[in-house]
């Protein structure tokens, strides 16, 4: 174990001491942990060309999806990450929301999201991401959240900005996609930032 000279922003064990929270957002959105019965919807999402384009890690079967769900539950218990199903009132799956690369010492974490085609264009992703930001920068105790996306993914950029994640810069040639290397936009939201300028 390493020794740090400053107090941890989030004491070890404080997240895992509680169940992974349910998060809510306007428009009857409820973010809940994934359930094994969601496997078909999760696998189906990765048949969408846009999700395939921007996500290089893709499940191949419902059994593999259920293995991923197990890893999500383990990640919460180990305080390394969390993944939520974005749902309509706890039922229909509309998308995915995740937090990872948790650094509890510094209070920093990364965010990711996708939304199914039928739910796009209605602010689902930005409302869900804003709810995650409110929880993570509030009750959970994080100080900074960040996310990145290809500079060619304009829809993801709009989601981030609407949810209060300011564009901080461009990471040149930072990620590999199916068509080669992409520059990546870096966004972040910090505790104390002004809330999103308009409803998301």
């Amino acid at each position: 174990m390493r020794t740090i000279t400053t107090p941890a922003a989030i004491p070890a064990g404080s997240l895992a001491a509680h169940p992974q929270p349910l998060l809510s957002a306007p428009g009857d959105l409820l973010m809940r942990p994934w359930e094994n019965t969601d496997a078909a919807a999760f696998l189906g999402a990765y048949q969408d060309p846009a999700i395939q384009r921007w996500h290089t890690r893709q499940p191949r079967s419902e059994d593999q999806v259920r293995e991923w769900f197990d890893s999500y539950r383990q990640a919460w218990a180990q305080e390394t990450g969390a993944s939520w199903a974005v749902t309509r009132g706890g039922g229909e799956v509309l998308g995915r929301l995740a937090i990872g690369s948790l650094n509890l010492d510094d209070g920093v974490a990364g965010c990711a999201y996708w939304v199914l085609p039928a739910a796009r264009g209605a602010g689902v992703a930005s409302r869900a991401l804003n709810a995650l930001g409110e929880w993570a920068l509030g009750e959970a105790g994080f100080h900074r959240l960040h996310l990145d996306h290809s500079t060619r993914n304009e829809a993801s950029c709009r989601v981030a900005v609407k949810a209060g994640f300011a564009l901080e810069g461009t990471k040149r040639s930072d990620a590999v996609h199916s068509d080669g290397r992409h520059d990546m936009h870096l966004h972040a939201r910090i505790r104390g930032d002004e809330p999103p300028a308009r409803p998301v």
Side-chain angles (χ1 to χ4, degrees):
M1 291 184 63
R2 65 191 185 91
T3 301
I4 60 172
T5 59
T6 55
I10 303 171
S14 59
L15 294 180
H18 306 281
Q20 183 178 326
L22 302 177
L23 307 175
S24 60
D28 196 31
L29 295 185
L30 179 69
M31 281 64 74
R32 58 162 173 79
W34 291 96
E35 301 169 354
N36 285 343
T37 52
D38 298 322
F42 190 99
L43 181 64
Y46 284 88
Q47 309 311 305
D48 172 59
I51 291 177
Q52 289 180 347
R53 181 181 184 191
W54 304 122
H55 296 81
T56 55
R57 184 170 180 257
Q58 301 171 13
R60 299 301 178 194
S61 68
E62 289 188 26
D63 284 342
Q64 187 176 31
V65 168
R66 285 186 282 270
E67 291 175 1
W68 286 22
F69 291 172
D70 285 341
S71 72
Y72 296 158
R73 288 186 279 270
Q74 291 170 13
W76 178 258
Q78 297 166 359
E79 298 185 315
T80 58
S83 182
W84 288 265
V86 180
T87 71
R88 194 180 310 282
E92 177 190 4
V93 172
L94 305 177
R96 175 180 183 247
L97 189 65
I99 188 170
S101 303
L102 273 59
N103 181 331
L104 302 185
D105 291 341
D106 293 337
V108 175
C111 302
Y113 46 86
W114 52 250
V115 172
L116 288 165
R120 291 176 192 154
V124 169
S126 56
R127 282 181 276 137
L129 182 59
N130 181 57
L132 174 60
E134 292 294 318
W135 168 77
L137 297 172
E139 177 185 343
F142 287 93
H143 180 77
R144 174 184 166 90
L145 302 177
H146 59 85
L147 63 88
D148 60 17
H149 61 79
S150 169
T151 55
R152 304 176 207 176
N153 190 344
E154 296 178 1
S156 190
C157 198
R158 289 193 296 270
V159 167
V161 172
K162 285 182 179 180
F165 286 70
L167 177 61
E168 293 190 333
T170 301
K171 301 188 292 182
R172 296 178 301 153
S173 196
D174 187 63
V176 178
H177 289 67
S178 59
D179 58 351
R181 286 200 167 271
H182 283 224
D183 292 350
M184 302 291 283
H185 274 165
L186 173 65
H187 295 256
R189 181 170 167 179
I190 295 171
R191 188 189 305 160
D193 279 351
E194 289 294 321
R198 57 186 177 182
V200 294

